[in-house]
Amino acid sequence: MGLLEGKRGLILGVANDHSIAWGIAQALHREGAQLGFTYVGEALERRVRPLAEQLGAPLIAPCDVNHDAEIAALMTRTQEVFGQIDLLVHAIAFANKDELNGPYLRTTRAGFLLAMEVSVYSLTALVKAAEPLLAPGAAILTLTYHGAQKVIPNYNVMGVAKAALEASVRYLAADLGPREIRVNAISAGPIRTLAASGIAGFRALHRSFAEQAPLRRNVTIEDVGNAALWLCSDLSRSVTGEILYVDAGFNIMGLSSAES
Ligand code: NAP
């Protein structure tokens, strides 16, 4: 029997088959979870629907997380299809390309607010709306990056957003813990996805990561999927409010000899 047999959940953030959310969806489905998927707009529906159908998804619905009405409609639909849910995966982030290039100091007010709304507040908005549907023992998972903790060139406002997202994980975990609902994040190493392609210099960062990480390689969406499986299963039932690094050990390193 699979680790997630009988579990039902929602996964937000599949844009295509390179998405981290797709790696997570495949791992959760492999262990028996039934998953609902979301998309933003018709163009994305055309890419997400065939993937979701591959996993026999009983729910494929629109949800732009910037609109409370779309979140509410998603939860209504979720209740109709699943009743309660045991899993909620948030793999969503966005910042304007202009903000992911050059000094952080140039961040605009509008760019800052947009990045925070899509990449940070959306987790709280989704959890708030999903709360009545969350079954005891449910697991909530989001995705963060090392740029929340250390300065990564060009990551800029997204680093600030990820720091706020990591703090949100702790506050939500404290709120929901008494109901046996857990909230965690995976801090993934760099992976070549649509979102990552917006960060200036990402290819070079991706290359140098593999040279510096203790395991001397990059991580894959399958690696993140398997770690997500652990965090979504009862195997991690006493883990909440944590940031799990899935980054081939990169975060434990100090300055490389070239920099020191
Ligand atoms: P991705 O495939 O481009 O996924 C990003 C997702 O966010 C897309 O599905 C995108 O949908 C969605 N999104 C953006 N704005 C949205 C909105 N207003 N409403 C709903 N969904 C929205 O890229 P990814 O790298 O897998 O990103 C997933 C998560 O992993 C993000 O939180 C990212 O910061 C994090 N992460 C990525 C890396 C990496 O190196 N790739 C490393 C660590 C953490 P649209 O395409 O329709 O906009």
Side-chain angles (χ1 to χ4, degrees), residues 12-16 18-21 38-41 44 47 63-66 90-94 118 142-146 155 158 162 165 186-196 202:
L12 290 92
V14 175
N16 54 42
H18 299 288
S19 295
I20 293 176
T38 63
Y39 57 86
V40 188
L44 258 286
R47 277 189 274 151
C63 186
D64 180 335
V65 291
N66 285 352
H90 169 276
I92 289 172
F94 183 79
V118 182
T142 188
L143 271 301
T144 184
Y145 177 59
H146 191 48
Y155 199 59
M158 193 51 72
K162 291 301 190 190
L165 182 72
I186 288 178
S187 184
I191 298 177
R192 290 170 68 172
T193 63
L194 211 55
F202 183 81

Side-chain angles (χ1 to χ4, degrees), residues 4 11-31 35 37 51 55 89 91 141 143 186 191 193 220-230 232:
L4 298 180
I11 183 148
L12 290 92
V14 175
N16 54 42
D17 62 358
H18 299 288
S19 295
I20 293 176
W22 178 239
I24 296 174
Q26 288 177 294
L28 303 188
H29 175 263
R30 188 181 74 224
E31 293 294 327
L35 297 171
F37 291 76
L51 294 172
L55 304 190
V89 178
L141 181 66
L143 271 301
I186 288 178
I191 298 177
T193 63
T220 66
I221 63 170
E222 288 76 21
D223 295 333
V224 179
N226 286 330
L229 169 63
W230 179 70
C232 287

Side-chain angles (χ1 to χ4, degrees), residues 135-175:
I140 297 165
L141 181 66
T142 188
L143 271 301
T144 184
Y145 177 59
H146 191 48
Q149 304 294 334
K150 299 286 178 192
V151 173
I152 305 286
N154 302 315
Y155 199 59
N156 297 351
V157 69
M158 193 51 72
V160 176
K162 291 301 190 190
L165 182 72
E166 292 182 7
S168 307
V169 164
R170 292 185 281 273
Y171 279 89
L172 291 168
D175 284 350

Side-chain angles (χ1 to χ4, degrees), residues 179-192:
R179 287 190 53 209
E180 275 291 326
I181 295 166
R182 301 181 298 112
V183 188
N184 291 292
I186 288 178
S187 184
I191 298 177
R192 290 170 68 172

